[in-house]
Amino acid sequence: MTGALLLTSASTASADYVRDQQWVLDVFAMKDTWAVTQGQGVTVAVVDSGVDGSHPDLTGQVLKGKDFTGGGNAQDDLSGHGTGMASIIAAHGHGTGNSSGMIGLAPKAKILPLRTYQKKNDKNPDEAWAAAVRYAVDQGAKVINLSFGADGGKTSPVGREAIAYAEAHDVVVVAAAGNTGAVAVEEPAALPGVVSVGAVDKEANRWNGSNSGKGLALMAPGVQVLSADNTESQKYSLSDGTSDATAFVSATAALVRAKYPNLTAGQVINRLIKSASFLGHKGLKAPDEEYGYGIIRPRQAVTMNIPPGPKTNPLGQLQSSTSTSTESSKATGSSTQAEKKDSSSSSILVVVGAIAAIVVIGVIALVVVRSRRNGGSGGPGSRGGASSQYASYPPAQQPYPSSATNQGPPPSPGQYPHNPNPYSQQPPHQGQ
């Protein structure tokens, strides 16, 4: 969660002052970016405390949404957190030419508010946000913003299933790495396929409260970030945290999805990674545990010549236990059918063996009769001759083929449940 730091200039901040606080717009050259795309046609789901669509900078941008806390209104935001995230993503300003107030990185994207907790110190249960994630997917959201960490540190099975559901339905899932400064990315950000986000300051240095470690994907501004906040008298606040950074990455994903609508979620993430940069941090090798694959660059994400790459997510994919169970069930069914087939084959072999035995017995009887007729002279049909004749019979069971012949070709690399290195596609040098 972000910690609100009120604007201190006056009780009512001037419009120019508010826009001037948005240092991110300048460092990202957003005017040039908006000439290419503004996120039109893309819905970003904000799973949070709700989003106040009545804020002047958000009017017309916020869909009805849904409340998962017990029948309330998704646009009733008691803490201001969700409204802040939505504004970083899609605020459009207000007044003449929208020159007043704040503006988000994707001002023409739509926000789907999904309220999963109410007050600042309320728990955000996995059951609630997991249901919200599934709802977002079913409502057509192309990006899901999760500016929170799982209660208890680990994501429950229901939460993991929801993330797997989103990834399987071509949705970009973005989540906060955490604000404790620990060398461990929090879940759900740490789950395979999720874009985990840490925070940097104006100098592009990692914020000391930003979690780091294995699994960190991208960095984005998260210090002294302006956002809309109707719970404050000035209607705005400044804050620090990976929540804000997450919203910036979600907005950038929306810009990419608007510019390149035919790209899969994995290919969108690929563009975010390939266009990121370590900026002034020399000697880092991606993925770095403090900076991931680098700091996002929205303009480069929509303008750089980056091959689409594979359709799969370069950060991996979380597998659903349901699909695993189904596959296991199919395998069990196939095994049962194989057993039935083997059983049938065995029955046939038994019948053939019985017939062969009858033939052998008949031959023996014939030999004995002839032997008796011949007085046991050792001529044709004698014991030695019979023995030689029996040896010519093939064995009742052929040797089983070696197991190696039934293994089939080895699975292709894409079938292994690992997280491929996005840099295997010859990306541009980090730090450009």
Side-chain angles (χ1 to χ4, degrees):
M1 300 298 181
T2 55
L5 303 172
L6 299 183
L7 298 171
T8 57
S9 63
S11 59
T12 303
S14 68
D16 289 342
Y17 180 81
V18 169
R19 189 66 60 89
D20 288 346
Q21 298 303 301
Q22 290 192 268
W23 59 271
V24 175
L25 301 182
D26 292 330
V27 299
F28 281 161
M30 290 311 300
K31 287 185 179 179
D32 294 336
T33 308
W34 293 329
V36 178
T37 174
Q38 296 184 36
Q40 55 272 23
V42 177
T43 296
V44 180
V46 176
V47 181
D48 215 291
S49 60
V51 177
D52 190 342
S54 69
H55 192 286
D57 295 342
L58 283 169
T59 55
Q61 296 298 95
V62 184
L63 304 174
K64 182 179 179 181
K66 186 174 181 179
D67 178 89
F68 291 85
T69 67
N73 183 356
Q75 295 199 22
D76 184 12
D77 185 7
L78 301 178
S79 78
H81 190 268
T83 302
M85 300 307 101
S87 66
I88 291 171
I89 297 168
H92 51 51
H94 64 273
T96 304
N98 287 334
S99 60
S100 301
M102 71 167 291
I103 188 166
L105 262 58
K108 289 189 177 179
K110 293 293 184 182
I111 297 294
L112 178 66
L114 303 172
R115 187 164 77 152
T116 57
Y117 71 97
Q118 296 184 16
K119 298 178 182 179
K120 182 178 179 180
N121 294 324
D122 286 352
K123 287 186 177 295
N124 187 17
D126 286 18
E127 291 76 13
W129 67 255
V133 166
R134 286 180 173 273
Y135 181 84
V137 174
D138 295 342
Q139 293 300 306
K142 289 298 183 182
V143 181
I144 298 178
N145 187 87
L146 306 177
S147 288
F148 58 81
D151 286 336
K154 291 294 183 181
T155 307
S156 69
V158 69
R160 294 175 67 91
E161 286 293 325
I163 297 295
Y165 182 74
E167 292 177 3
H169 286 79
D170 197 42
V171 178
V172 176
V173 182
V174 189
N179 294 346
T180 64
V183 185
V185 176
E186 293 184 0
E187 292 190 6
L191 296 176
V194 177
V195 183
S196 56
V197 186
V200 294
D201 59 20
K202 293 180 181 180
E203 287 71 42
N205 294 320
R206 184 180 71 87
W207 173 54
N208 59 9
S210 179
N211 286 24
S212 58
K214 185 178 180 181
L216 184 65
L218 293 168
M219 304 295 280
V223 177
Q224 292 290 289
V225 175
L226 180 84
S227 61
D229 188 350
N230 270 349
T231 67
E232 303 296 341
S233 60
Q234 299 174 353
K235 305 299 182 184
Y236 302 95
S237 62
L238 291 172
S239 56
D240 300 342
T242 58
S243 285
D244 304 297
T246 300
F248 281 122
V249 174
S250 291
T252 305
L255 293 173
V256 174
R257 300 218 86 162
K259 172 63 176 175
Y260 304 99
N262 294 327
L263 294 185
T264 65
Q267 291 169 328
V268 170
I269 294 171
N270 179 58
R271 286 194 74 90
L272 296 179
I273 289 172
K274 297 293 180 59
S275 59
S277 172
F278 289 131
L279 299 179
H281 303 283
K282 303 298 183 182
L284 301 184
K285 182 179 179 182
D288 180 76
E289 291 200 357
E290 283 195 78
Y291 290 88
Y293 292 97
I295 301 166
I296 60 164
R297 298 190 295 172
R299 182 172 64 85
Q300 286 84 349
V302 297
T303 60
M304 281 182 69
N305 182 18
I306 301 173
K311 293 183 178 181
T312 54
N313 190 333
L315 300 176
Q317 182 166 348
L318 187 63
Q319 296 298 321
S320 168
S321 62
T322 302
S323 62
T324 303
S325 297
T326 302
E327 291 173 4
S328 175
S329 217
K330 288 179 180 177
T332 302
S334 300
S335 176
T336 302
Q337 291 178 357
E339 288 173 2
K340 289 180 178 178
K341 185 176 180 180
D342 289 343
S343 178
S344 298
S345 299
S346 298
S347 298
I348 293 172
L349 289 173
V350 169
V351 172
V352 171
I355 294 173
I358 293 171
V359 172
V360 170
I361 292 170
V363 171
I364 292 172
L366 179 61
V367 169
V368 170
V369 170
R370 286 182 176 178
S371 176
R372 288 175 179 173
R373 286 179 180 175
N374 293 333
S377 61
S382 68
R383 193 174 188 85
S387 175
S388 174
Q389 184 180 5
Y390 301 151
S392 67
Y393 279 92
Q397 290 184 326
Q398 297 292 336
Y400 286 102
S402 68
S403 58
T405 62
N406 291 328
Q407 288 177 350
S412 63
Q415 291 176 296
Y416 290 110
H418 72 295
N419 299 344
N421 186 345
Y423 275 67
S424 63
Q425 300 174 33
Q426 299 300 321
H429 177 67
Q430 293 296 93
Q432 284 185 322

